[in-house]
Amino acid sequence: MTSDLLDSGTLDGLRSDLHGEAIVPGDTAYDEARTVFNGMIDRRPRVVAQCQDHRDVAAAVAFARANGLEISVRGGGHGVTGAAVADGGLVVDLRRMNAVDVDPQAGTARVGGGATVSDLDRATQPHALATTGGRASTTGIGGLTLGGGSGWLERRFGLMCDNLLAAEVVTADGRRVRAEERENPELFWALHGGGGNFGVVTEFTFGLHPLPAFAIALLLWPAEAGPEILRRYRDYMAEAPDEVGGGLLYLTGPPEPFVPPELVGRLAVGALLTYTGGLGQARPVFEPMLAHGHVGEVIAEMPYADVQCMLDDPPGYRNYWSAEYLTDFPDPAADLFCARARDMVTPSPSQHVVFPLGGAVAAGRDDFPVPWRVAPWAVHPFGLWEDPADDERGRAWARAVCADLKPWSIGAVYLNFIGDEGEERTRAGLGEQNARRLAAVKGEYDPDNVFHLNHNITPA
């Protein structure tokens, strides 16, 4: 169909409508434009519309619908499913729409739909302000927020969607709609966990929080110490103040100066402690975890935006992720979690992680479609490897972790942490009652299910 579009001049019509660019197969920029974070994804869209404003988005959506092209929406391209790229379809690429406008007096930021976590953090850092924004600087703000938005600051400041004040949305019929608490309130509610089902969000407005200082402690032990360290970490977090975040993870020891040579390239266990305050305040709070014989450490006060880059997961690797959210984390569950770390592909950038929730996450609004916020713990097998021969092993590990922890699972799961695991899993991630309400919103704003390359909600 691409040749037909070019021969008929229809594509020229799209190009004349865009302030940005329309990229097609054969163009120099095509391969970069279609490549996403997950190296397993190799899809070839017919058109990549690199939009510069909301009018470009509306034009791209109208063009795709008029020409029978499936539509995908690309923010950061970080989603594990690769849904940002429509094979044979049209990609609404928002990456040029990445401006961030901070109002330090109001404590807000207006953020373009194609911005990344880094774009937001670097803009707010000079004002000593921040909001919850994931755990990697390269993550797209759009998908992160619309799925709920979990990150290092969540125990103090809530989920990213909890800090969403307003959104500008281009709907399937090309309308530009504003959603906030008093304007289109049902749509606004749906954007707090319902994903990209309702339109293309071209701008977000977030509330910001004072964050004049930020401190971390990254501690390492040999993998054999994992069961003991996990128990101590679990008990520590049960008493930790909301200022403390982080996680415990098995990882491949990186070739860094703070890592003992015997752990480089080998399975190790680490605890990352974060603190929304300075090191002087943080160190006494970290002290209970500093007394367990760690063999490598980084303890420092660092700009939050720099911490966001510390564990950036590199692009181009083959990715498979999953998750379970737990009612509790008793010793039998901890033992199963630790034992399963041996099945992770090592050496690789993979991480076998458990995150603490609670704090402001649990205290947030219980009517948003993020039912997993009530869980105190999240287990996240986060698989990245290079060799396709490891695909079966990597997938089997992630699935086995979830199967092992299923007896303690709440059933609901953060959909940004999983791939395509079926409609039942999606409905569990939204909550059954929420799913019905979301279907009604979907029916109002996207009755033809134009935006279906996501954890999809069927319109009512």
Side-chain angles (χ1 to χ4, degrees):
M1 184 169 179
T2 302
S3 59
D4 293 340
L5 290 172
L6 292 169
D7 293 346
S8 68
T10 308
L11 184 60
D12 289 338
L14 173 64
R15 285 181 165 140
S16 67
D17 288 339
L18 294 180
H19 298 91
E21 292 186 61
I23 297 172
V24 297
D27 289 349
T28 303
Y30 179 72
D31 282 336
E32 186 279 330
R34 72 184 182 91
T35 300
V36 290
F37 177 82
N38 185 354
M40 286 186 182
I41 307 302
D42 184 18
R43 297 180 184 147
R44 302 185 65 83
R46 286 172 174 160
V47 186
V48 178
Q50 295 191 326
C51 301
Q52 290 194 179
D53 56 31
H54 66 91
R55 290 163 294 186
D56 280 5
V57 172
V61 170
F63 175 86
R65 298 196 70 181
N67 290 279
L69 294 176
E70 190 172 44
I71 295 173
S72 64
V73 182
R74 176 171 186 157
H78 233 261
V80 68
T81 65
V85 182
D87 204 10
L90 180 142
V91 179
V92 179
D93 188 341
L94 303 177
R95 285 178 291 173
R96 295 186 179 195
M97 300 170 61
N98 66 342
V100 178
D101 181 15
V102 178
D103 183 337
Q105 281 70 44
T108 61
R110 291 170 49 227
V111 182
T116 64
V117 166
S118 180
D119 293 325
L120 175 58
D121 292 341
R122 294 298 177 189
T124 58
Q125 186 82 56
H127 305 287
L129 296 169
T131 196
T132 301
R135 297 178 175 88
S137 69
T138 52
T139 302
I141 292 294
L144 177 65
T145 304
L146 298 175
S150 177
W152 299 129
L153 300 181
E154 64 190 4
R155 280 173 45 85
R156 179 72 184 278
F157 300 139
L159 301 173
M160 195 162 198
C161 74
D162 293 335
N163 294 283
L164 179 64
L165 302 178
E168 300 280 347
V169 184
V170 173
T171 61
D173 58 4
R175 289 178 296 143
R176 186 186 186 193
V177 176
R178 182 170 176 83
E180 55 181 307
E181 199 72 58
R182 294 180 178 83
E183 187 175 354
N184 298 302
E186 279 296 282
L187 176 59
F188 184 63
W189 169 84
L191 299 179
H192 290 73
N197 274 282
F198 313 100
V200 183
V201 181
T202 57
E203 184 180 278
F204 299 86
T205 302
F206 295 104
L208 305 176
H209 305 269
L211 190 65
F214 195 68
I216 67 159
L218 177 59
L219 313 175
L220 290 180
W221 295 264
E224 295 74 23
E228 177 188 357
I229 298 305
L230 177 52
R231 283 167 168 76
R232 294 186 181 277
Y233 177 75
R234 175 197 63 194
D235 296 343
Y236 166 76
M237 286 307 304
E239 304 295 332
D242 294 351
E243 287 83 358
V244 177
L248 183 135
L249 68 160
Y250 285 85
L251 73 166
T252 300
E256 298 289 348
F258 71 95
V259 180
E262 63 272 18
L263 290 188
V264 173
R266 300 184 60 188
L267 189 67
V269 66
L272 176 63
L273 311 176
T274 64
Y275 190 86
T276 52
L279 186 58
Q281 300 167 291
R283 186 176 278 276
V285 180
F286 291 165
E287 198 60 42
M289 283 303 298
L290 302 179
H292 304 308
H294 59 275
V295 297
E297 69 172 36
V298 175
I299 302 174
E301 184 172 314
M302 299 174 62
Y304 169 65
D306 291 350
V307 173
Q308 285 284 65
C309 302
M310 278 183 57
L311 294 177
D312 272 359
D313 25 349
Y317 282 86
R318 304 176 72 78
N319 279 243
Y320 188 86
W321 317 342
S322 196
E324 290 294 339
Y325 280 66
L326 309 183
T327 59
D328 195 8
F329 207 19
D331 288 351
D335 289 340
L336 287 168
F337 173 81
C338 292
R340 199 55 80 173
R342 296 288 178 185
D343 297 335
M344 185 174 75
V345 177
T346 307
S348 78
S350 298
Q351 298 172 15
H352 185 73
V353 194
V354 57
F355 293 119
L357 281 77
V361 178
R365 283 179 50 171
D366 61 5
D367 63 325
F368 287 153
V370 284
W372 42 270
R373 72 156 77 238
V374 301
W377 294 99
V379 167
H380 182 33
F382 181 74
L384 300 91
W385 55 86
E386 191 168 14
D387 190 345
D390 286 324
D391 286 358
E392 184 176 350
R393 176 185 170 193
R395 290 191 182 105
W397 156 69
R399 292 167 180 163
V401 172
C402 293
D404 286 350
L405 278 300
K406 189 71 73 175
W408 298 276
S409 173
I410 67 170
V413 64
Y414 177 37
L415 296 176
N416 283 354
F417 272 177
I418 70 170
D420 183 0
E421 298 185 9
E423 182 180 355
E424 184 177 339
R425 186 83 147 138
T426 296
R427 291 183 74 85
L430 300 169
E432 191 60 41
Q433 183 176 343
N434 293 328
R436 291 193 294 270
R437 184 176 171 187
L438 288 164
V441 182
K442 178 78 167 177
E444 179 178 354
Y445 289 94
D446 185 17
D448 299 323
N449 206 8
V450 169
F451 301 109
H452 63 266
L453 292 180
N454 43 45
H455 289 102
N456 195 234
I457 297 164
T458 303

